Amino acid sequence: MSTPLVRFALCAAALHVGASNAAGEEPASDSSQQIVRAGSEASIVGPAEYFTGPVRIDMIWPAEGGINVSGALVTFEPGSRSAWHTHPVGQRLSVVSGVGLTQEWGKPIQEIRPGDVVYCPPGVKHWHGASPKTAMTHLAVTGVQADGKNVEWMEKVSDDQYHAH
């Protein structure tokens, strides 16, 4: 099943391939360095189906060009969080600002701060989000399978689970 984030990454890839650069020139060939200008991609709202509370996703790069990872800045407002989920190829989260929380299924909630990097191994059920009082932004670098799949969404994190730390 294709998720909104995967569909967005695929749409972003199509935009990158077909877009001309700021000088109005044709896009660079696959063998040339390419620059995607800041602000060229619209922010999207994290779907309520997969997130609790306000979440903004800023796609940084799609999985393309032989590099099978996507990158996005994800900003969680205080108390916001993802649903439980797994990644078939794994994910790394690098906290950029704020204070966040993450939890692996069956383990205690852990606080994460700027400079912390969280490695989510393939198939490990987890969630991540902001602390109750502070927003948090992380860079999510997510492995993508050949079929475009990068996440398997599960049930939402309950308020009791979230506040158990």
Side-chain angles (χ1 to χ4, degrees), residues 81-106:
R81 57 205 180 258
S82 71
W84 288 100
H85 61 284
T86 63
H87 299 283
V89 185
Q91 181 182 62
R92 279 193 166 71
L93 306 173
S94 177
V95 181
V96 175
S97 64
V99 179
L101 302 173
T102 187
Q103 183 179 23
E104 183 178 323
W105 186 258

Side-chain angles (χ1 to χ4, degrees), residues 1-3 18 43 68 82-83 93 95 99 105-106 122 134 139 141 153 158-159 163:
M1 179 175 98
S2 179
T3 68
S43 297
N68 293 325
S82 71
L93 306 173
V95 181
V99 179
W105 186 258
T134 306
L139 171 63
V141 179
W153 291 105
S158 71
D159 287 343
H163 292 291

Side-chain angles (χ1 to χ4, degrees), residues 62-156:
E64 67 178 1
I67 302 174
N68 293 325
V69 296
S70 62
L73 286 172
V74 184
T75 301
F76 296 84
E77 292 301 319
S80 298
R81 57 205 180 258
S82 71
W84 288 100
H85 61 284
T86 63
H87 299 283
V89 185
Q91 181 182 62
R92 279 193 166 71
L93 306 173
S94 177
V95 181
V96 175
S97 64
V99 179
L101 302 173
T102 187
Q103 183 179 23
E104 183 178 323
W105 186 258
K107 296 187 178 178
I109 294 173
Q110 295 187 59
E111 188 175 271
I112 51 177
R113 296 182 169 271
D116 290 348
V117 176
V118 179
Y119 172 57
C120 307
V124 172
K125 185 175 179 177
H126 68 283
W127 66 268
H128 34 92
S131 70
K133 295 181 181 179
T134 306
M136 186 270 296
T137 299
H138 62 54
L139 171 63
V141 179
T142 308
V144 180
Q145 292 179 311
D147 65 1
K149 187 172 185 174
N150 67 355
V151 64
E152 179 70 36
W153 291 105
M154 299 170 183
E155 72 275 12
K156 285 194 169 187

Side-chain angles (χ1 to χ4, degrees), residues 8-10 12-14 16 36 59-65 67 69-71 144:
F8 180 77
L10 294 174
H16 291 304
V36 177
M59 195 67 183
I60 305 300
W61 70 85
E64 67 178 1
I67 302 174
V69 296
S70 62
V144 180

